[in-house]
């Protein structure tokens, strides 16, 4: 089993559990892998509790024999960090979320909540440019 198979199984487990409450999944292949989970109804819970939501699914996958074998062979757990946010929080343009959506891959997006392509965003009063979404020769006003 590879880390990518682990992420696929993890994503499937989250989707099976939350169904329509799961609004989107994306990941950034990095070390560690950053996984974005967009869920309805998490606006009112703490970031600590959101981390526990992700850890529940991570530990559930960790119990499978294929994962145990992978851990035994590699000597470490799959390096995956989960970030759980609500659909409303996508508009806050958190830098880590922008990074995942700009340079990462979308696994699940049934209602196109990730469709927005950011070129210039305001973050804490500063303008950030997303170079990936700017075409060669395109002029972007800041």
């Amino acid at each position: 089993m590879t880390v990518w198979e682990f992420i696929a199984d993890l994503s499937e487990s989250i989707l099976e559990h939350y169904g329509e409450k799961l609004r989107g999944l994306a990941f950034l292949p990095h070390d560690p892998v950053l996984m974005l989970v967009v869920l309805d109804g998490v606006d009112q819970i703490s970031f600590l509790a959101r981390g526990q939501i992700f850890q529940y699914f991570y530990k559930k996958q960790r119990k499978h024999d294929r994962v145990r074998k992978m851990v035994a062979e590699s000597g470490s757990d799959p390096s995956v960090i989960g970030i759980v946010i609500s659909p409303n929080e996508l508009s806050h343009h958190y830098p880590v979320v922008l990074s995942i959506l700009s340079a990462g891959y979308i696994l699940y997006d049934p209602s196109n909540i990730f469709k927005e392509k950011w070129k210039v965003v305001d973050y804490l009063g500063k303008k950030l440019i997303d170079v990936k979404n700017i075409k060669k020769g395109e002029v972007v006003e800041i």
Side-chain angles (χ1 to χ4, degrees):
M1 172 176 248
T2 65
V3 173
W4 310 120
E5 291 171 323
F6 178 80
I7 290 172
D9 291 348
L10 180 64
S11 301
E12 190 174 310
S13 178
I14 294 169
L15 176 59
E16 285 175 10
H17 183 82
Y18 282 105
E20 291 185 18
K21 286 187 175 186
L22 179 65
R23 300 291 304 279
L25 287 169
F27 77 96
L28 179 63
H30 200 267
D31 190 23
V33 174
L34 298 176
M35 188 168 184
L36 179 65
V37 180
V38 182
L39 289 174
D40 278 333
V42 296
D43 287 309
Q44 302 302 318
I45 64 173
S46 70
F47 283 107
L48 179 63
R50 296 175 195 200
Q52 290 171 341
I53 290 170
F54 185 80
Q55 282 301 311
Y56 167 79
F57 292 102
Y58 184 92
K59 288 178 181 177
K60 184 178 177 183
Q61 290 304 310
R62 178 71 172 71
K63 293 178 183 177
H64 292 265
D65 290 335
R66 290 174 39 205
V67 178
R68 286 183 181 181
K69 183 179 177 184
M70 179 182 77
V71 170
E73 290 172 359
S74 68
S76 66
D77 286 326
S79 185
V80 181
I81 295 175
I83 300 163
V84 179
I85 63 171
S86 73
N88 297 334
E89 291 169 331
L90 281 174
S91 64
H92 293 251
H93 302 299
Y94 298 122
V96 69
V97 173
L98 288 175
S99 296
I100 293 169
L101 295 178
S102 296
Y105 299 94
I106 295 172
L107 298 171
Y108 179 75
D109 188 13
S111 55
N112 291 323
I113 62 171
F114 298 140
K115 70 180 176 194
E116 182 180 352
K117 295 292 184 187
W118 297 286
K119 293 185 180 183
V120 178
V121 258
D122 285 319
Y123 178 72
L124 297 176
K126 297 182 181 179
K127 303 240 182 207
L128 301 176
I129 299 174
D130 184 0
V131 179
K132 180 182 174 199
N133 291 321
I134 299 175
K135 295 180 177 93
K136 186 176 181 180
E138 181 179 6
V139 177
V140 178
E141 196 166 318
I142 303 179

